[in-house]
Amino acid sequence: MTSSDEARRLAAVPHDPDPANWVLPNRATIWLRRTYLCLVALCATGGIGIVVSLLRPDSVAAYIAAAALVTLFALLFTWIASNFWMMVFGIGRMAGDAWGRRAEAGSGENTAPDLVDWPVTALVMPVYNEDPARVLAGIQATLESIAASGALAKFHFYILSDTRDPDIAVREEMAWLELISNPSFRNRVFYRRRSNPTERKSGNIKDFLENWGHAYKYMIVLDADSVMTGGCVTELVRRMEADPQCGLIQTWPQITNGRTLFSRLHQFASRVYGRILAFGMATLINPHGNYWGHNSIIRVRAFMDSCGLPRLPGRGPMGGEILSHDFVEAAFLVRRGWKVLLAPDIDGSYEEMPPNIVQHIARDQRWCQGNLQHAWLLAARGMHPASRINFLTGILAYATSPIWLLFVIVAAVISFLDHSLFSPATVLMRDVGETWSVRASSTESLLVVGLLGATLTFILSPKLLGIGAALMRRRESAPRLVGNFLTETVLSVLIAPTVMLRHSAFIFRLLLGRGVNWNPQQRDEDRLSWGEATRAFSFQTVLAAGIAVSGVIWPTGVHLWLSPILAGLMISIPLAVWTGRVPRDRRALLLPTDQTVLPPVMARTNDLRRNYEGRLQSGDPVDRILDDPKLASLHLYMLATEPGDDACQSVEGGILAKVHDDGRSLNGEEQRSILSNPVALRRLQAERAVRVKQA
C-alpha cells in the first residue's frame, strides 16, 4: 500500500480531534485564513493608495521611477502588515489556550500518559565537526530528563556523524564510549559515522532511515545544539499516537543559554515576541504547517514514503541538490495527505544562537541560498497552497533585505534629482533659516503622517504586544522588562542595516552564480576580535561614513531620513565586538528575571559540558587510538561493522613511518587514511607494543 492509499484509509477512520494538536475545525481555519488575508490586503491597499495619491509624475522617466517606488513599497508594506496581523492572531490564540488550560486544570482530568503500549521512538542527532563535549552533554541531559519522566525504556538515541576532522571523530568515539559506560544508557545510545557523507544532513537522515528506520514508528530529529526535556518528548509521542493522520509535529524551540549580548538579544526576542508569532502561525497554517529540520517528531513510514528529494533544474547554486530540505519535506508530507503541525504550546524544547553577528551572518548565508532555491517549487504541481505560502515566506525572509535596500536607493535618488515627482506637501522636514522644522498643514501632509504612523505601528506593535503579554503573565518586574525591551529595540535598529546589506550581498552573489560552502557552525566563541569585525564590516563602515560626510557638506532632508541606517552601518564594527562578548554582570542586559536561572535541563547540560571538556581535549587522534586499547577495540569494531571505501585502500609506508617518528606531523588526510584502515592500525599497534616492551 502506498502512503497516499494509507493516508486516504486513515482519513476515513473516525477519531476524536485533540485540541492540543492545534488543528481548528476546517471551516474555522478557512474563515481565519480568509480574514487574515483580507486584513493584510486592506492594509496594503490603503498604504499603496496613499503613496500613489502623493506622486505627481510628469514624464516617462518619472512614471518609471514612480512605478519602481510603488512596487518596492507595496512589497515591504505588505510584509510588515502580514507580520503585524500574524501577531494579533497569535495573541488571540494564546489567550484562548491559556483559558483552556485553566479550565482543564480546574477539571482535575490531567493524567500521566500510559507508556505501556507506546512504540520505541528514535531520537536522532546528525553532527558534522561539532564539539563532542557539547554534543555529549546535550544528549546526556536529554536522556536524564527522559529517565526522570519514567519513559527511558521507550526511547533510543542515535548519533549520526558526518565528521571529517580526525581529531573530532576520535573524540566523538571517546564521548560515546563514556556515555554508554552508564548502565542506564547501554544499548540505548548508538553511534554511526559515515565514511562518505553525501547529501549533507538530508543524506545523513536518509542513511539512518534506510538502515534502521524500519524498526521505529517515530523519530525525533535534533540539532547538535538541541536539548529537550522528558516531558516534551513524551508529549510529542502522545500527540502522534492520538492522531494517526499526523505526519510531523514541529515544536517552537526556545533560544536559551545565551551568554553574549548578541545571543541574549535573540533569546529575549524569541521568548517575548517570537512565541506569539508562532501561535499566530499555528492558528493559520495548521494542519499544513512547516518543518525547520530539528526539534520535531516525524512519523517514519510517512516520511520515507513521501519525502524523497528531487534534484532541481540547472546547476548550483540555485539548482542541483536541495540544500534547505526541511521546508520541502514538510510540503511533500502535506501533498500526500499527512498533517504537519506547529505546536508552540509544548514547553521544554531548546536550542542555542550563534554568539555574535559575524557567525550569525555566516549561518544566514547558508540558509539564504537554500531558501532561494525554493523558488523552483512555488509552481510545482500538487503542492498545497499553504505549502507554497511557506516557500514564499522563507524566500521573503531574505528577499526583503534587497527590496528594502532598493527602496532606500530609489527614494534617495528621486529625492536628490527630482523633487517634483512628489506632492510638495510630502516634504515634512523643511529648512527654515539655520534650523529644521516639521510642517504638516494640508490633507496630503496628514496622509504622510498617517502612513508613517501606520508603518511604525506595524513595526513596533508586535513588540508591544509581546511586552503586554509578558506583563500580564507577571513573571518579572515591569521596569526590568521595559528596560530590556528598550535595549532590544535600540540594538535591533542598529543591527538591522548590517543584516540588510549582507543579505543583499548574498543574493547578488547567488544571482551571479556564486554559492557558499556549507561549513560546520562555530557555536562556542565568547569573544569576537576587533580584527574579525573589521574584516567583516570595514567596507560598509567606510561607505556609510562617506555618505554621512556628504550630508555635512551638502545637508538635505534625505540625509536626515537615512541617519538611522547610516548610524547602524558606521558603528557596526564596535557594535559587533561589544555585542559579541559576555557582559561582566551576568544578570545585566537582556536577561529577564525568570531567565537569570537557566531551565534545569540546560543547567545540567552546562555542568556536563564543563566536565567533559576536561576529558575530551584535542590531541593526536592516531596516538590516542594506539595508546588506548579500549578505544582501539571500539574503533576497529566500528570499521568492521561499517567499512567505508577508504578501508580498502593501502597506506603508504612513509605515512606509517611518520607515526613512529612524530605523529603530530601527520596532516588530516594522512590521519584519515590510517584511521580508516584496520590493517594499518593493527600493524601500528603491534609495532608500538614491541617498542614499549623493548623499552
Side-chain angles (χ1 to χ4, degrees), residues 261-503:
L261 193 58
F262 182 80
S263 58
R264 288 182 182 183
L265 168 75
H266 287 269
Q267 177 176 307
F268 178 83
S270 173
R271 191 185 71 88
V272 178
Y273 322 134
R275 193 162 192 175
I276 300 175
L277 183 64
F279 272 72
M281 292 171 58
T283 302
L284 294 170
I285 68 174
N286 284 350
H288 312 112
N290 212 347
Y291 171 42
W292 300 326
H294 59 93
N295 292 54
S296 311
I297 189 169
I298 299 172
R299 192 178 298 270
V300 170
R301 177 49 55 191
F303 192 86
M304 293 179 69
D305 290 347
S306 307
C307 296
L309 296 177
R311 289 189 65 83
L312 298 174
R315 295 182 297 177
M318 298 299 292
E321 179 185 342
I322 294 177
L323 300 181
S324 291
H325 55 91
D326 37 17
F327 281 40
V328 181
E329 290 159 347
F332 285 177
L333 283 169
V334 170
R335 184 174 65 174
R336 299 294 289 272
W338 296 98
K339 294 179 183 178
V340 176
L341 306 176
L342 173 60
D345 61 318
I346 299 179
D347 294 321
S349 176
Y350 303 105
E351 66 173 344
E352 297 178 358
M353 269 294 296
N356 56 65
I357 189 172
V358 173
Q359 295 180 22
H360 173 72
I361 287 175
R363 185 183 70 170
D364 265 5
Q365 190 169 0
R366 297 190 296 270
W367 288 358
C368 177
Q369 179 175 341
N371 282 18
L372 292 182
Q373 285 184 321
H374 296 160
W376 288 106
L377 301 169
L378 286 174
R381 286 184 294 181
M383 293 291 184
H384 193 279
S387 297
R388 300 185 200 277
I389 292 175
N390 289 334
F391 287 141
L392 182 61
T393 302
I395 293 170
L396 288 176
Y398 296 97
T400 49
S401 289
I403 293 172
W404 178 24
L405 178 61
L406 287 173
F407 177 78
V408 170
I409 293 173
V410 170
V413 170
I414 290 174
S415 298
F416 271 120
L417 301 180
D418 188 7
H419 289 284
S420 63
L421 179 62
F422 298 96
S423 167
T426 60
V427 183
L428 301 179
M429 300 294 297
R430 301 174 187 272
D431 188 0
V432 181
E434 297 181 354
T435 62
W436 291 88
S437 65
V438 179
R439 292 187 178 181
S441 57
S442 67
T443 302
E444 291 177 327
S445 59
L446 291 176
L447 287 176
V448 174
V449 173
L451 184 60
L452 291 174
T455 302
L456 290 175
T457 298
F458 289 154
I459 292 174
L460 294 178
S461 288
K463 295 178 181 289
L464 295 175
L465 289 172
I467 292 298
L471 288 173
M472 291 178 64
R473 290 195 294 267
R474 300 178 182 177
R475 295 180 180 175
E476 54 200 277
S477 64
R480 185 178 184 86
L481 183 62
V482 173
N484 285 330
F485 159 69
L486 294 175
T487 302
E488 186 274 336
T489 300
V490 171
L491 289 177
S492 296
V493 168
L494 293 174
I495 290 173
T498 294
V499 175
M500 175 264 289
L501 207 60
R502 299 309 292 265
H503 283 181

